[in-house]
Amino acid sequence: TFGAAPHPMPGTAGPEDEAPDLWRETWVRYAGYANEVGEAFRYILPRFVAPSYGLAVSYVIGDAVDKSNRRQQTGAPAYAVAYTAADVLMWQGLASVAIPGFVINQVVYFSKRAFESSTSKATLARPVIKWGPTVAGLSAIPFIIQPIDHAVDALLDATARRIARRQGWLAASHNEDED
């Protein structure tokens, strides 16, 4: 669901923690959507796009640092801590920044082309033509999150996490179905 915290990453603290996860269970989570919002406003506020990516990447790095620190506090060996950081960076980088940014960019781009077509210009008011692509981009965000999250899980489960299990970097108790 929109705004819901993504699945727990391998090696992170579990439900026994009483404090909410700052990066996944508080308002900070919305920083991960900053680039999607930036892409939606690309043609209205183009100077907002780069800073929106900066905020989203900062969120990704902050979450990776937090999860690897939590893993380190459990006494895990350095390779396991490094794997946790890498897994969070890969998952968040793909699921929170790269893929949704591209998808929203394309929604806005093709919406802009449609709204600026000669037929649309003849039938639609100027504010609709101007703001339509932004509204289309913003409207798409809630619908793309869950499918992208699941696709990135499947990708990492079939690649990096499979290798990590074989190398013993990922606890055998970590169940891919729980992701």
Side-chain angles (χ1 to χ4, degrees), residues 118-132:
S118 57
T119 305
S120 294
K121 284 184 175 181
T123 58
L124 298 173
R126 285 177 65 103
V128 173
I129 294 168
K130 179 180 180 179
W131 287 92

Side-chain angles (χ1 to χ4, degrees), residues 1 8 23 35-36 39-40 47 52 66 71-72 77 80 90 103 105 119 136 138 142 150 153 163:
T1 61
W23 300 95
N35 65 307
E36 287 115 305
E39 286 292 349
R47 290 184 177 172
S52 73
D66 177 63
R71 185 79 188 262
Q72 185 175 32
M90 286 186 293
V103 171
N105 175 283
T119 305
L138 291 172
H150 291 299
D153 275 334
I163 293 167

Side-chain angles (χ1 to χ4, degrees), residues 10 83 87 90 152-172 174-177 179:
Y83 171 75
D87 186 80
M90 286 186 293
V152 172
D153 275 334
L155 174 67
L156 292 180
D157 287 346
T159 58
R161 292 176 182 159
R162 180 172 289 171
I163 293 167
R165 263 189 200 75
R166 287 184 188 149
Q167 296 297 321
W169 301 338
L170 185 58
H174 176 72
N175 184 350
E176 291 175 1
D177 296 332
D179 291 339

Side-chain angles (χ1 to χ4, degrees), residues 15 24 30 37-38 45-46 56 59 61 69 76 97 112 127 137 140 156 177:
R24 312 236 177 124
Y30 293 106
V37 174
L45 300 168
Y59 166 80
I61 292 168
N69 283 340
V97 180
K112 182 174 174 49
L156 292 180
D177 296 332

